[in-house]
């Protein structure tokens, strides 16, 4: 629950950023290992799409919040017109969003696979468990940084944590649901499930479609227990819940029509 770690007494390194790098590295290793099970992709192709997808995810994670807040400011200008330009700027920026990174990486990976004639579904089948692993490690970074915290709980609750004053986002000295660790555990379990599914399935698209079915459900439910109020809302749902519902619908369609979708994608090349 400490946002920074000191390196050799010289510089403070953000734990969140450090664990993001660790997560990316382990996800790349898992891509290579999983690919060896079926040997459907060339090593160079995996590296190419992975690096491009990382770039796309960084752009997406950094821009989703400004985009959503821009629309909110435009359509509710009377609520924001008293704020200075810098206040609006800091309000609309400064936070990276997982779903933004997910969508940015997804679109970039699709375009890269299409451009370089790489088997899109085969890549996504190994990328799904790799993404779950990276995300699980990233959520541990959220825990140390103090973001994405949960709702307030009674004192001595077994699932409560108390953040220190130097926390970057969570209110200090208040028992809060350990939401980042709960989601991290959920994602580690999802990673194991997806690895088993990928190793045993004989049909392309199964592991990637199962990711699109399982993760959004868990994320939708966990959002009700988040305590950070800076997240966007659409009606009585959060922005992440709306995106989760859309992804779940697509995942269900993808899972039911996996063979047909794989054939259509193959014909595009």
């Amino acid at each position: 629950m400490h946002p920074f770690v000191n390196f050799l007494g010289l510089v403070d390194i953000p734990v969140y950023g450090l664990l993001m790098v660790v997560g990316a590295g382990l996800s790349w290793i898992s891509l290579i290992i999983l690919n060896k099970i079926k040997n459907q992709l060339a090593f160079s192709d995996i590296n190419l799409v992975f690096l491009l997808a990382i770039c796309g995810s960084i752009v997406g994670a950094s821009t989703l919040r400004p985009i959503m807040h821009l629309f909110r400011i435009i359509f509710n200008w009377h609520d924001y017109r008293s704020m200075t330009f810098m206040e609006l700027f800091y309000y609309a920026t400064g936070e990276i969003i997982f779903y933004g990174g997910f969508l940015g990486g997804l679109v970039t990976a699709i375009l890269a696979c299409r451009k370089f004639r790489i088997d899109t579904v085969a890549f996504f089948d190994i990328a799904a468990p790799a993404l779950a692993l990276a995300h699980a490690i990233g959520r541990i970074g959220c825990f140390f940084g103090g973001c994405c915290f949960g709702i307030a709980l009674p004192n001595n609750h077994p699932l409560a944590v108390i953040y220190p004053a130097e926390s970057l986002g969570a209110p200090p000295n208040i028992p809060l649901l350990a939401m980042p660790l709960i989601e991290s555990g959920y994602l580690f379990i999802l990673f194991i499930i997806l690895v088993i599914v990928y190793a045993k399935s004989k049909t392309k698209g199964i592991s990637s479609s199962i990711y699109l079915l399982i993760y959004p459900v868990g994320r939708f439910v966990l959002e009700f227990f988040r305590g950070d109020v800076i997240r966007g809302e659409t009606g009585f749902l959060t922005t992440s819940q709306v995106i989760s519902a859309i992804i779940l619908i697509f995942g269900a369609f993808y899972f039911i029509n996996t063979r047909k979708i794989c054939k259509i994608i193959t014909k595009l090349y």
Side-chain angles (χ1 to χ4, degrees), residues 65-78:
R65 177 177 172 175
I67 291 172
M68 298 303 298
H69 281 230
L70 178 62
F71 283 106
R72 187 170 292 107
I73 291 171
I74 291 174
F75 290 107
N76 300 279
W77 174 242
H78 57 278

Side-chain angles (χ1 to χ4, degrees), residues 64-187:
L64 180 60
R65 177 177 172 175
I67 291 172
M68 298 303 298
H69 281 230
L70 178 62
F71 283 106
R72 187 170 292 107
I73 291 171
I74 291 174
F75 290 107
N76 300 279
W77 174 242
H78 57 278
D79 294 331
Y80 302 96
R81 61 185 178 183
S82 61
M83 298 174 66
T84 66
F85 173 80
M86 292 307 298
E87 287 175 337
L88 286 172
F89 177 79
Y90 286 121
Y91 166 75
T93 61
E95 183 184 17
I96 61 174
I97 306 296
F98 166 73
Y99 269 140
F102 172 81
L103 296 173
L106 176 67
V107 171
T108 305
I110 291 174
L111 294 175
C113 288
R114 178 66 189 274
K115 172 66 176 179
F116 299 103
R117 297 186 175 275
I118 299 169
D119 192 327
T120 308
V121 179
F123 179 80
F124 284 151
D125 278 345
I126 60 175
L131 175 59
L133 176 61
H135 196 183
I137 297 171
R139 282 303 183 204
I140 298 175
C142 292
F143 172 72
F144 279 98
C147 64
C148 306
F149 53 90
I151 58 175
L153 294 175
N155 290 324
N156 301 319
H157 193 284
L159 296 179
V161 295
I162 298 178
Y163 289 89
E166 60 267 26
S167 169
L168 298 180
N173 305 318
I174 299 175
L176 301 172
L177 180 64
M179 181 55 65
L181 296 183
I182 293 173
E183 186 170 351
S184 179
Y186 177 74
L187 286 161

Side-chain angles (χ1 to χ4, degrees), residues 39-58:
N39 289 312
Q40 294 178 317
L41 297 169
F43 179 74
S44 59
D45 289 343
I46 294 175
N47 291 337
L48 175 63
V49 180
F50 173 76
L51 291 174
L52 291 175
I54 288 290
C55 295
S57 66
I58 292 173

